[in-house]
Amino acid sequence: MQAFFQGTVDNFCAVYAVLNALQVLFGITVLQARKLFNRTLLAHSADALEFSRILSHGTDYVSLVDDMLADVQAHEFPELCVQAPFGPTAPCQQVWEVLRSCARPPLPLISVFRFLRFMPEQKKPYVDHWTVGHYMDMEGLHFLDCSLESGGLYCLPYSRLTDASHPLAREYVVIPPESVRILSSSSRVADLPV
């Protein structure tokens, strides 16, 4: 028997990704994270249809992430800078370069994004998840992730990344470009290699 953990029964990985990014960027505590988590859910529960889509994974969670970041910026961290550098047609090579540049020490920028894991010849992803790009090494982009799954993806090598229009003959990952959010504090704003 295995204990339940985040992601097993809820669909709040996008909220956890934002909290983990804020922890890296601003050092938020568990109590601050709980306050932000609760405030986000309460705000979105006011619209029953929207909240139902959030609970049932009937959304891509981009607007939830954007709403949460705007709320955090308005109430806790006015120095938070958020960039959405890509439209839906940006090529994966360009997305990778931005994520790679954000993951270089001393971590002036933090990336939050959604990724989809596919098996060859499958139309639907078997994983749809939000995470934080944490650091890069020779293996690939390592995630600061809320999942505890033994088969979870915690490091993305570039060789597994592709565009949705170019599926691979092996397991592959697609990062919807429009989901990428780059966070920084106003004291650490940097130009992105877009």
Side-chain angles (χ1 to χ4, degrees):
M1 183 179 304
Q2 185 173 351
F4 298 124
F5 47 86
Q6 194 287 317
T8 305
V9 296
D10 69 66
N11 293 307
F12 299 136
C13 58
V15 175
Y16 278 89
V18 171
L19 294 174
N20 286 331
L22 294 173
Q23 182 183 33
V24 172
L25 200 55
F26 297 110
I28 66 169
T29 65
V30 171
L31 291 176
Q32 288 173 303
R34 184 175 299 136
K35 176 183 169 187
L36 296 173
F37 183 92
N38 292 344
R39 193 168 71 214
T40 298
L41 295 185
L42 283 171
H44 285 270
S45 69
D47 181 334
L49 181 59
E50 177 194 6
F51 197 56
S52 178
R53 287 196 317 266
I54 289 169
L55 292 175
S56 63
H57 199 75
T59 177
D60 60 12
Y61 299 92
V62 172
S63 62
L64 175 68
V65 166
D66 288 342
D67 290 349
M68 186 176 182
L69 290 170
D71 178 68
V72 166
Q73 193 175 38
H75 294 97
E76 275 80 21
F77 300 108
E79 68 274 26
L80 175 65
C81 296
V82 180
Q83 297 177 59
F86 304 113
T89 60
C92 69
Q93 295 87 352
Q94 190 177 20
V95 172
W96 180 260
E97 283 307 310
V98 167
L99 296 178
R100 188 173 69 79
S101 73
C102 293
R104 287 192 309 236
L107 296 177
L109 304 169
I110 304 298
S111 59
V112 175
F113 56 92
R114 176 182 179 215
F115 70 82
L116 310 170
R117 286 175 77 180
F118 290 89
M119 293 302 288
E121 301 182 23
Q122 297 295 315
K123 300 270 188 230
K124 290 189 170 191
Y126 72 94
V127 172
D128 183 345
H129 186 62
W130 281 78
T131 194
V132 175
H134 193 218
Y135 67 92
M136 180 80 72
D137 64 14
M138 295 301 288
E139 291 181 58
L141 178 61
H142 292 263
F143 303 150
L144 180 61
D145 201 84
C146 62
S147 174
L148 296 174
E149 293 181 42
S150 59
L153 181 64
Y154 302 104
C155 177
L156 176 61
Y158 178 69
S159 63
R160 289 181 59 191
L161 183 64
T162 191
D163 292 312
S165 59
H166 295 97
L168 303 177
R170 61 184 187 282
E171 181 183 353
Y172 63 94
V173 173
V174 171
I175 297 174
E178 69 278 9
S179 76
V180 175
R181 297 297 178 266
I182 307 302
L183 312 182
S184 62
S185 68
S186 57
S187 64
R188 299 184 343 186
V189 173
D191 291 327
L192 297 174
V194 178

